[in-house]
DNA sequence: TAATATACTGTATAATTATACTAGAAGAAG
DNA sequence: CTTCTTCTAGTATAATTATACAGTATATTA
């Protein structure tokens, strides 16, 4: 487990789970068989610029950095409305066609959004290939994306 | 010094000064002759949902809540471009005319932005009256606002 | 390869932040 | 005014987070 992978995982965790303190991270990682200490998490958090947000419900919760977290879906929506051409799925793959030059931006947004359905994605000039976790995820993800248009 | 006032002040401080830890708040307030303890600040921060952001430069810094902080000026810019009609100053007052129905939104944004020149503001349907700290502030604020158009 | 520099992480602990508890202040109701 | 309730805030301390230090690993250079 390299630092980069761990960081990636932390970004996912912070979106999928409720992380109230750094030890929660430690434990979630432990669940996945990854051993790290709170100190390491503290440093990771600093590098990733994760923030601890006072929640409405009285507690606290870690979150993605504001710029990253804020209105990604709004940006996605705008870009989709502007540049979407077509979409199709095949097994666990989703292929989105965009107007020329827009695929990279779309791919970046999709990666940043960190959807749990998505395993990874590759962007060309007018095509984004999204590799989902499985067939079902791909369909769910397709619906998600289409709903932006 | 009521809690509300202190909260208001904290919002200003967090924008005008570099606050690295809660004690910095305590000290800044002390500078202004207001005595509170770190515990109170901690509770204030929770209520205001201020966040502690890992800064690029290695340290940490408190910030406004993401939604509030994020791109207020972008919103202001958009609204000004859309709805601005005229502006004028008189002593420490600035009067902005907007298209009907837009003044309230503008006023809210101006208040949220927490410009240090601004003492307060009142919005009608197509007019926002901004009361600045003094004549000079009013002019500075006018320039600020005009630059959005 | 050896030497040196750089990156990563755990341990221990310092630094910071949150909160249980308590008490006084400010209001509301009688 | 008295009693009850709610809100605030300080004190002391628990809980959480950051970091100095040291060791190991990994990369870089000669």
């Amino acid at each position: 487990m390299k630092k980069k992978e761990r960081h990636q995982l932390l970004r996912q965790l912070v979106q999928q789970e409720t992380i109230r303190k750094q030890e929660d991270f430690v434990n979630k990682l432990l669940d996945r068989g990854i051993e790290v200490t709170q100190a390491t998490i503290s440093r990771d958090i600093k590098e990733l610029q994760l923030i601890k947000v006072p929640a409405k419900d009285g507690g606290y919760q870690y979150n993605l950095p504001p710029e990253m977290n804020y209105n990604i879906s709004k940006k996605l929506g705008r870009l989709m409305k502007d540049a979407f051409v077509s979409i199709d799925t095949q097994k666990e793959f989703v292929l989105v066609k965009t107007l020329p030059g827009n695929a990279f931006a779309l791919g970046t947004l999709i990666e940043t959004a960190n959807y749990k359905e998505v395993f990874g994605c590759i962007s060309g000039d007018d095509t984004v290939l999204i590799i989902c976790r499985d067939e079902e995820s791909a369909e769910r993800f397709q619906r998600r994306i289409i709903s932006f248009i």
Side-chain angles (χ1 to χ4, degrees), chain A:
Chain A
M1 167 59 62
K2 303 288 171 43
K3 187 164 77 145
K4 281 283 175 55
E5 303 175 56
R6 193 179 59 235
H7 279 189
Q8 191 51 34
L9 193 46
L10 290 184
R11 277 211 244 263
Q12 287 188 20
L13 281 175
V14 87
Q15 293 203 288
Q16 292 168 14
E17 317 269 353
T18 302
I19 308 288
R20 296 176 200 285
K21 49 184 181 177
Q22 303 188 351
E23 270 193 21
D24 291 349
F25 271 128
V26 174
N27 293 328
K28 291 290 175 194
L29 287 185
L30 205 54
D31 289 350
R32 281 146 231 248
I34 302 158
E35 271 189 70
V36 286
T37 60
Q38 172 268 325
T40 297
I41 297 294
S42 172
R43 288 184 280 245
D44 286 345
I45 283 175
K46 190 169 190 172
E47 288 186 47
L48 293 169
Q49 294 186 250
L50 303 185
I51 58 179
K52 192 184 180 188
V53 194
K56 328 89 207 80
D57 81 327
Y60 291 82
Q61 181 168 353
Y62 276 96
N63 249 329
L64 289 185
E67 332 77 73
M68 201 166 261
N69 191 27
Y70 186 81
N71 279 350
I72 278 189
S73 54
K74 213 169 257 179
K75 289 184 198 159
L76 252 174
R78 214 173 311 136
L79 186 54
M80 283 295 289
K81 286 184 188 60
D82 283 356
F84 174 79
V85 172
S86 73
I87 190 168
D88 198 14
T89 68
Q90 166 107 190
K91 299 250 180 98
E92 73 267 39
F93 302 107
V94 181
L95 199 75
V96 180
K97 289 263 177 197
T98 68
L99 296 179
N102 289 100
F104 185 74
L106 183 62
T108 307
L109 277 177
I110 289 172
E111 294 211 316
T112 310
N114 238 307
Y115 291 114
K116 59 180 170 311
E117 294 93 356
V118 175
F119 172 70
C121 93
I122 314 168
S123 322
D125 182 66
D126 64 355
T127 307
V128 187
L129 174 67
I130 299 109
I131 301 136
C132 294
R133 304 210 171 276
D134 52 43
E135 210 150 331
E136 198 204 314
S137 299
E139 282 165 30
R140 200 137 24 88
F141 182 72
Q142 183 183 29
R143 263 176 269 127
R144 228 190 240 259
I145 282 293
I146 288 178
S147 75
F148 278 121
I149 314 173

